[in-house]
Amino acid sequence: MLSTLEVDLRPGSGIGMFELGSSLWFVMAMLRGLQHLFPQVEVKFDAENASTTPVILHLRPHFDLLFSGYHQRLHTICLRKITDLHPPIILRYKDSVICSGGDPLVKVQITRAFGPTYPGDELRYPGVWFSFEDDAINESLKGGMPNTGPDQRSKEVRRIIVTQKETQSGEHDALDEVIPCPVMFAEISRAIIKIHHGIVLHFFAPSSSALHICLGETTVQDLNLDLGPPSRVFYKEDGRMAIHSPNPQLEEDSYSNDYFYNYFHHGIDFLISGKTHRVRKIILHSNVPGSPLFQRYKRCPWELEGRPEDDEDDTPPRMRFPDKFEAISHFLNPRDPPPQSMILDRTDDDDTITLPSPISRLYGYSGVILEVNEASQVVAVTLF
């Protein structure tokens, strides 16, 4: 027996369990626990521009979810095939059921529930609009000449689209970033990487201050107070990289008691010294669609800061996660070509995993290691 999908319509905010502004990482993690409602999930993105491509989740048969390209935030929700009974939908607005049991939702029901609105081919209200066509989620819909007459009252609603309410600056384009809203508060808006020093985290919040995390100084107590408890504490057991050290045994002994604080929901790992319990390394993840670690971590929108021109320069040059590896390498070391790389295959440790592009390369610079995929996108940055 199919579960009934009961959802409430919240113009400018969301539908059911989906809230505008939620991260791609959070929504996909939630869907893994809702397979009885959404057994088929299709992920679509532009593979040639994976770092900043908008991502669409097709949850057959009822939902299309559009996420913004830079911050990977839920931008637009489309509810369609309302009469499809696999599963059946009960749609509420405020305290009233406006559609249920596979019955069609028609134009006159919308105007009774929402009241009058401006003329056009769709019924558009702030934060929600009702379409009588079956176009794709990301096609722009323009208001046309008003349709009047007795037959128009019974026109069937094919799609319900929920977006953020338009601001005074004008219409919100489908490729724009999501306007910061409460569901995004306390989450990272950008992470400034200061080589050899640490990172500065900025958050989505009306009045939040920047958080400084310093290599060799910040303790686990600091992390717990400032970021909350980690998603996982993982004790470092892999010492294979020590073989590349001039003194492998000393290197392996130095890291033998270290452990990771994994903040999957922030897209950051911290390697903690087992002796001092201070931060030794910081790893920031780009969550690039199609990469081996896609959806293991939320996107951390990092910016790699260069040297300021002088002491009074408060806007030093920066490279950002969407920039190609070649540009970032030149930024880090403008006089030399990229260093020799090491090959990393994410499927080596698990024979049950198959990935279309499992290979990435590791490039080492002074204080920084870049993990780069086959499309020259930096999928992770390690700071030490």
Side-chain angles (χ1 to χ4, degrees), residues 293-345:
L293 293 183
F294 177 57
Q295 279 304 114
R296 176 101 37 110
Y297 296 84
K298 180 189 291 186
R299 168 166 290 174
C300 181
W302 52 265
E303 301 178 12
L304 189 61
E305 188 170 274
R307 294 180 180 178
E309 294 183 0
D310 51 53
D311 294 338
E312 297 181 356
D313 183 8
D314 57 357
T315 57
R318 291 175 183 168
M319 300 297 288
R320 295 168 174 80
F321 72 88
D323 295 316
K324 290 291 188 178
F325 161 70
E326 291 78 9
I328 296 177
S329 179
H330 180 75
F331 179 78
L332 291 171
N333 195 359
R335 293 185 177 87
D336 298 313
Q340 185 177 3
S341 65
M342 304 173 87
I343 296 177
L344 174 64
D345 188 334

Side-chain angles (χ1 to χ4, degrees), residues 66-368:
L66 172 66
F67 293 82
S68 64
Y70 194 92
H71 285 293
Q72 294 183 334
R73 296 284 172 174
L74 183 53
H75 180 286
T76 303
I77 304 169
C78 176
L79 174 62
R80 56 191 176 85
K81 296 189 176 180
I82 300 169
T83 58
D84 194 310
L85 296 176
H86 300 84
I89 282 184
I90 297 176
L91 181 63
R92 297 179 180 274
Y93 174 61
K94 295 184 176 179
D95 297 325
S96 302
V97 174
I98 60 174
C99 181
S100 67
D103 294 331
L105 178 63
V106 297
K107 184 175 182 179
V108 67
Q109 292 173 276
I110 300 302
T111 55
R112 285 173 182 168
F114 289 83
T117 188
Y118 298 103
D121 290 334
E122 299 84 31
L123 293 178
R124 303 189 68 141
Y125 299 87
V128 63
W129 41 290
F130 302 87
S131 174
F132 307 100
E133 304 294 336
D134 286 319
D135 296 334
I137 182 176
N138 53 353
E139 289 186 10
S140 60
L141 298 174
K142 307 286 187 181
M145 295 299 292
N147 292 316
T148 59
D151 292 339
Q152 298 303 315
R153 290 166 50 86
S154 59
K155 287 185 68 174
E156 183 178 343
V157 173
R158 301 291 186 178
R159 296 181 301 143
I160 302 173
I161 296 93
V162 175
T163 63
Q164 289 187 305
K165 295 182 179 180
E166 296 173 7
T167 62
Q168 293 180 351
S169 59
E171 210 169 300
H172 199 45
D173 188 86
L175 298 181
D176 287 344
E177 287 299 310
V178 174
I179 301 169
C181 53
V183 73
M184 300 165 63
F185 293 169
E187 298 190 358
I188 296 171
S189 62
R190 57 183 179 139
I192 310 302
I193 299 173
K194 296 180 178 289
I195 300 175
H196 301 300
H197 296 287
I199 57 175
V200 181
L201 300 180
H202 297 264
F203 298 88
F204 291 109
S207 59
S208 66
S209 57
L211 174 62
H212 295 251
I213 299 176
C214 302
L215 294 169
E217 296 182 16
T218 299
T219 65
V220 290
Q221 291 88 347
D222 296 328
L223 293 177
N224 278 290
L225 286 172
D226 294 327
L227 291 177
S231 309
R232 183 182 71 171
V233 178
F234 177 75
Y235 285 85
K236 188 177 187 295
E237 299 175 350
D238 189 348
R240 288 175 293 181
M241 291 296 289
I243 195 172
H244 297 283
S245 170
N247 192 331
Q249 188 59 48
L250 180 63
E251 179 79 6
E252 190 168 348
D253 292 343
S254 173
Y255 284 90
S256 60
N257 296 317
D258 291 356
Y259 54 97
F260 283 97
Y261 261 30
N262 303 124
Y263 287 90
F264 301 122
H265 57 293
H266 286 312
I268 305 177
D269 295 323
F270 298 98
L271 178 64
I272 310 297
S273 168
K275 296 179 181 179
T276 66
H277 302 287
R278 298 177 184 272
V279 174
R280 294 189 69 165
K281 292 182 180 179
I282 304 171
I283 307 172
L284 302 96
H285 299 272
S286 307
N287 197 34
V288 176
S291 65
L293 293 183
F294 177 57
Q295 279 304 114
R296 176 101 37 110
Y297 296 84
K298 180 189 291 186
R299 168 166 290 174
C300 181
W302 52 265
E303 301 178 12
L304 189 61
E305 188 170 274
R307 294 180 180 178
E309 294 183 0
D310 51 53
D311 294 338
E312 297 181 356
D313 183 8
D314 57 357
T315 57
R318 291 175 183 168
M319 300 297 288
R320 295 168 174 80
F321 72 88
D323 295 316
K324 290 291 188 178
F325 161 70
E326 291 78 9
I328 296 177
S329 179
H330 180 75
F331 179 78
L332 291 171
N333 195 359
R335 293 185 177 87
D336 298 313
Q340 185 177 3
S341 65
M342 304 173 87
I343 296 177
L344 174 64
D345 188 334
R346 291 286 182 180
T347 62
D348 281 346
D349 294 327
D350 193 337
D351 294 334
T352 64
I353 297 177
T354 57
L355 296 170
S357 300
I359 302 296
S360 58
R361 293 180 178 271
L362 303 177
Y363 294 86
Y365 302 83
S366 177
V368 177

